[in-house]
Amino acid sequence: MNLLFSGITLPLEDPILKFLLILVIILAAPLLLNKLKIPYLLGLIIAGAVIGPHGLNLVLRDSSIILSGTAGLLYIMFLSGLDMDMSDFKRSSRQSLVFGLYTFCIPLALGILAGYYILGFSIYSSILLAGLFASQTLIAYPIVSKLGIARDKAVTIAVGGTVITDTLALLLLTVIVGMVTGNVDDMFWWRLAISVVLCVAIIILLFPVIAHWFFKHCTDNISQYIFVLVMVFLGAYLAHLAGLEPIIGAFLAGLALNRLIPRTSPLMNRIEFVGHAIFIPFFLIGVGMLIDYRAFFRDWESLKVAAVMIVLITAAKYLAALLTQKTFRLSADQRTVIFGLSSAHVAATLAAVMVGYNIILGHTPDGEPIRLLGDSVLNGTILMILATCTISTFATQRGAHNIAVKGMRTDDQENEKQNEHILIPISNEESAAELIALGNQIKSPKNHNEIYALHAIDNKAGDTGLEKRGQKVLETAASIAAASDIYLHELLRYDVNISNAIASVARERNITDIIMGLHRDKSPSVFIGKITGDLLTEANVTTYIYKPAQPLTTLKRHIVIIPPEAEKEAGFPVWLQKIRNLSQNGGVKIVIYASQTTLHYLEPLRRRKKTEVETVLFNNWDKLQHLLREIHRDECLWLVMSRRDRVSYHPIMSKVPSYLDSHLQKNSFVLIYPMQAGTGGGRYL
């Protein structure tokens, strides 16, 4: 035993032991804290305090911890931008601005008064202290993300307001430091304004263009994830160069990539997994290492400053959340979430206090430095971080849990009549990824286990290797689905022909939707292929025929063209729900062309929250060819078809194959054949 532990010294210097210890804490924290009813985030902070230099001194807060923690903080801000519903963010921009001003101005006013009149600081020190009051950190954001309410209005307002108040607080810090050091002149304001505008413009305008090109030309999973990390840290560094805090750049990078990384995509699943498993826990443990319990007993001045900061900051943030609730008529739980998310102070607060602490205004007769923010503020800030993180975690947990429970009840009521079963016939490995991606985009967000992949084998085929090949195709499909956290039912079936196999499975499994790839023969005479044509006559199921010309995530818009009287078909509400899911899951704008009568039925969809849908009047299907010519390269066409002799059938549908072959050879498109009233499908064209 002596030989085993003879090389171990404290604090730990062996990188293997340090990493092992932190991983054990990340692993054990949920198991222990669930029994004690302590939120997971707070537990990691406490664990960091215990093992840190001010606790058991097991691990120093060295450059490796700081690097991992910085990455974790940037990750939190990036995820908050990435998780936002952009349509809701646009609608809530005014609310976010109002809350941002509330949560900046109220703490700022209280901070200046407290610093100048209660603590006796100079005016510059008081203003800088007030900047600490105004800033906030979204340390509790992982709670709302895991509970699935990241797109709730309260979260959107809180995240947007955080960016606003942190930007203002850090700009205030820049100005105050410039005034104290005598660097503020006319050019100072011009340099600051130009650098900020240039930084925001590059991230918001240029990043999406670069990312769109990259995702379109690179499908390697690892390369895509590394590219995302590059964008996060590049955005953070650009913000740093502009004089802003890097967290602002990371958030803007999340907004810039929002539409290109759908919430249901495999890439999003990887981003969230790595962040919640590694980066964010490292950040929280690093925050805990800053906490020095000895500051409680060091001197009364630190305790006084800490008490003033904790009480006034908590009161100010609660008042800002209360005013926001009253202004926009939010619920009590939404107010609690806004307060919880905005009450923690870590990143920007630490940045500001360290800047103020390092500015020396002079020296005492004894040679001691006179700092803009003294030791008492530094120690008080550490205590304030512990207190506000605790309050933030508990408040967010309570409010978010209540909102999530209410949301589950609403979803259950909406989904009572839905019984979704999606079948994806897959003939080869090359088509599997995009077919599953489409299924993932149009499925209900609550559907994780009702997607089937079928590989059918014709009984007449004499090749004995077909079964092994089919199993390999299904294994590939299951692996692709697993990357999006979807369990795929694998079905291998022999039958007299492929279409009969698909139709039989559709009946046996109560399939509601079938997603098929377009036949490889590009001749208009066999446009959708014999198998698909036969299937449309044998199976009365909503069928989507998909031709992917580029990755689904790189599309900028979906154009949906609906024939007159489509609302009279039995399958109308089925595929319409899928269009709604497409907008909600993918975050891409939907433009629907339809007749006036049909648009009337679509109005609830257009007004629905969490969907971005535009409707355009289109009465004359004889002009379909002209409309198809206007579709751009990065847009996907969704054309609602009908079987011959059905209510919504239009003679021009017989010319659709030649139109698509002439005008949309390089475009992605989906042909929708809705479920029909009665049993047979009838002729498809």
Side-chain angles (χ1 to χ4, degrees):
M1 292 295 290
N2 291 334
L3 288 176
L4 182 62
F5 295 102
S6 59
I8 299 179
T9 58
L10 297 180
L12 297 175
E13 296 181 358
D14 189 330
I16 297 177
L17 284 178
K18 289 169 62 177
F19 198 76
L20 175 62
L21 176 62
I22 293 176
L23 289 180
V24 169
I25 291 173
I26 297 173
L27 177 64
L31 301 176
L32 298 175
L33 299 175
N34 286 340
K35 297 180 180 180
L36 300 175
K37 304 298 182 181
I38 297 176
Y40 175 63
L41 303 185
L42 181 59
L44 290 177
I45 294 174
I46 295 173
V50 172
I51 68 171
H54 306 300
L56 300 178
N57 198 31
L58 299 180
V59 179
L60 290 177
R61 193 172 186 273
D62 54 16
S63 58
S64 63
I65 299 296
I66 294 174
L67 174 63
S68 302
T70 301
L73 176 59
L74 296 179
Y75 222 96
I76 290 176
M77 293 303 297
F78 174 70
L79 279 177
S80 64
L82 202 59
D83 278 342
M84 275 196 170
D85 185 330
M86 292 305 297
S87 58
D88 196 36
F89 180 64
K90 292 177 182 178
R91 288 193 292 266
S92 301
S93 57
R94 184 176 67 89
Q95 290 94 321
S96 295
L97 176 61
V98 171
F99 170 66
L101 294 176
Y102 280 156
T103 196
F104 175 76
C105 294
I106 296 174
L108 183 70
L110 292 180
I112 293 175
L113 294 175
Y116 194 76
Y117 291 105
I118 298 177
L119 301 176
F121 292 168
S122 66
I123 187 62
Y124 284 145
S125 297
S126 299
I127 295 175
L128 195 56
L129 180 70
L132 305 185
F133 282 29
S135 64
Q136 57 198 43
T137 303
L138 293 172
I139 197 171
Y141 183 81
I143 293 176
V144 300
S145 180
K146 287 184 177 181
L147 288 174
I149 66 162
R151 297 193 171 194
D152 186 82
K153 185 177 183 179
V155 178
T156 302
I157 292 174
V159 172
T162 296
V163 174
I164 292 170
T165 189
D166 279 355
T167 301
L168 293 175
L170 294 169
L171 287 176
L172 178 66
L173 170 66
T174 303
V175 172
I176 292 299
V177 170
M179 288 181 173
V180 171
T181 56
N183 293 326
V184 174
D185 53 22
D186 292 339
M187 289 303 299
F188 170 85
W189 299 105
W190 283 108
R191 285 194 303 270
L192 181 62
I194 292 174
S195 61
V196 170
V197 171
L198 189 61
C199 168
V200 174
I202 290 175
I203 296 175
I204 295 298
L205 300 179
L206 189 58
F207 275 29
V209 176
I210 297 173
H212 181 270
W213 177 88
F214 186 87
F215 291 145
K216 193 172 181 178
H217 293 87
C218 178
T219 57
D220 179 69
N221 297 330
I222 297 176
S223 298
Q224 287 187 347
Y225 179 74
I226 298 300
F227 172 80
V228 169
L229 289 184
V230 169
M231 291 291 99
V232 174
F233 283 88
L234 179 59
Y237 185 67
L238 289 175
H240 173 70
L241 291 180
L244 300 173
E245 189 66 16
I247 57 176
I248 306 299
F251 174 78
L252 292 176
L255 289 182
L257 302 184
N258 184 286
R259 292 195 181 278
L260 294 169
I261 308 177
R263 60 187 302 190
T264 57
S265 65
L267 180 56
M268 185 66 167
N269 191 50
R270 295 186 190 99
I271 291 171
E272 290 184 333
F273 175 79
V274 176
H276 292 303
I278 300 295
F279 286 119
I280 295 175
F282 266 81
F283 164 66
L284 297 171
I285 291 173
V287 170
M289 290 182 179
L290 291 169
I291 298 171
D292 184 2
Y293 68 92
R294 291 170 296 186
F296 285 100
F297 313 104
R298 186 168 295 155
D299 59 79
W300 285 107
E301 185 63 23
S302 294
L303 289 176
K304 176 184 176 182
V305 173
V308 170
M309 294 175 71
I310 293 169
V311 171
L312 291 184
I313 283 175
T314 303
K317 294 299 181 181
Y318 182 81
L319 182 58
L322 181 63
L323 289 176
T324 303
Q325 178 201 4
K326 299 299 183 183
T327 303
F328 303 114
R329 299 179 180 179
L330 304 177
S331 68
D333 289 325
Q334 288 177 313
R335 179 198 65 212
T336 303
V337 167
I338 292 175
F339 167 66
L341 289 173
S342 63
S343 57
H345 291 65
V346 182
T349 303
L350 281 175
V353 75
M354 292 309 298
V355 169
Y357 184 78
N358 291 328
I359 294 178
I360 299 176
L361 304 175
H363 292 82
T364 65
D366 298 332
E368 293 293 326
I370 301 175
R371 304 178 184 274
L372 185 59
L373 294 178
D375 292 329
S376 61
V377 176
L378 180 61
N379 294 331
T381 299
I382 299 301
L383 298 180
M384 180 266 293
I385 288 174
L386 175 61
T388 57
C389 286
T390 303
I391 294 170
S392 171
T393 304
F394 277 105
T396 305
Q397 179 83 26
R398 186 180 66 180
H401 177 267
N402 292 341
I403 292 176
V405 169
K406 293 177 182 177
M408 288 176 62
R409 291 172 182 167
T410 302
D411 289 339
D412 288 342
Q413 292 173 0
E414 290 182 355
N415 294 327
E416 275 180 357
K417 299 180 180 179
Q418 295 181 12
N419 192 20
E420 182 182 69
H421 302 269
I422 298 176
L423 176 63
I424 306 177
I426 299 175
S427 60
N428 56 76
E429 297 175 63
E430 291 76 16
S431 63
E434 284 304 312
L435 290 177
I436 292 173
L438 181 63
N440 197 14
Q441 291 283 300
I442 68 173
K443 73 176 181 62
S444 167
K446 302 296 181 182
N447 183 352
H448 295 284
N449 298 310
E450 298 300 334
I451 300 182
Y452 301 82
L454 169 67
H455 184 82
I457 302 175
D458 194 328
N459 280 334
K460 300 175 184 177
D463 189 348
T464 56
L466 288 177
E467 184 172 342
K468 290 185 177 180
R469 179 178 175 274
Q471 290 174 343
K472 184 179 179 182
V473 170
L474 291 174
E475 288 174 0
T476 301
S479 176
I480 293 170
S484 297
D485 198 24
I486 296 173
Y487 176 74
L488 195 70
H489 298 270
E490 302 172 44
L491 304 175
L492 183 67
R493 187 183 184 100
Y494 284 90
D495 213 314
V496 293
N497 57 59
I498 305 301
S499 60
N500 191 69
I502 299 173
S504 298
V505 170
R507 288 189 290 270
E508 293 167 5
R509 303 280 178 167
N510 295 320
I511 297 300
T512 57
D513 305 272
I514 297 177
I515 300 174
M516 301 186 67
L518 185 67
H519 193 269
R520 290 186 173 184
D521 190 335
K522 297 182 179 180
S523 172
S525 61
V526 290
F527 184 70
I528 64 174
K530 184 178 185 306
I531 294 175
T532 306
D534 291 343
L535 175 65
L536 291 174
T537 64
E538 296 174 15
N540 189 24
V541 176
T542 302
T543 304
Y544 306 82
I545 304 171
Y546 179 36
K547 191 208 85 171
Q550 65 186 69
L552 194 62
T553 56
T554 62
L555 296 169
K556 295 182 178 179
R557 292 200 310 175
H558 292 285
I559 309 297
V560 182
I561 304 178
I562 306 174
E565 299 189 300
E567 68 278 1
K568 296 180 180 179
E569 300 281 10
F572 179 77
V574 178
W575 66 258
L576 187 61
Q577 176 63 37
K578 298 300 182 290
I579 296 298
R580 178 197 168 196
N581 294 341
L582 177 71
S583 175
Q584 184 175 345
N585 293 332
V588 180
K589 186 175 183 179
I590 309 291
V591 182
I592 298 179
Y593 289 80
S595 65
Q596 186 64 55
T597 305
T598 307
L599 291 179
H600 173 73
Y601 286 88
L602 299 175
E603 191 62 23
L605 173 65
R606 191 179 67 83
R607 292 183 177 182
R608 191 125 191 186
K609 291 183 178 180
K610 300 182 180 180
T611 59
E612 188 174 356
V613 177
E614 177 186 339
T615 55
V616 180
L617 180 63
F618 181 64
N619 280 318
N620 191 356
W621 255 57
D622 291 325
K623 295 183 179 180
L624 177 64
Q625 186 176 9
H626 300 286
L627 181 58
L628 296 182
R629 289 173 181 168
E630 299 176 1
I631 296 177
H632 299 146
R633 179 72 177 274
D634 292 325
E635 296 176 339
C636 180
L637 168 68
W638 292 66
L639 194 58
V640 181
M641 305 289 284
S642 179
R643 279 80 164 179
R644 190 181 294 272
D645 300 326
R646 294 294 179 169
V647 177
S648 62
Y649 179 80
H650 193 285
I652 208 71
M653 290 181 182
S654 63
K655 299 181 180 180
V656 164
S658 61
Y659 289 168
L660 295 177
D661 188 61
S662 300
H663 306 301
L664 296 177
Q665 283 189 353
K666 297 182 179 180
N667 282 74
S668 297
F669 62 78
V670 181
L671 301 180
I672 305 176
Y673 285 87
M675 175 183 66
Q676 304 287 335
T679 52
R683 294 175 60 189
Y684 56 90
L685 282 176

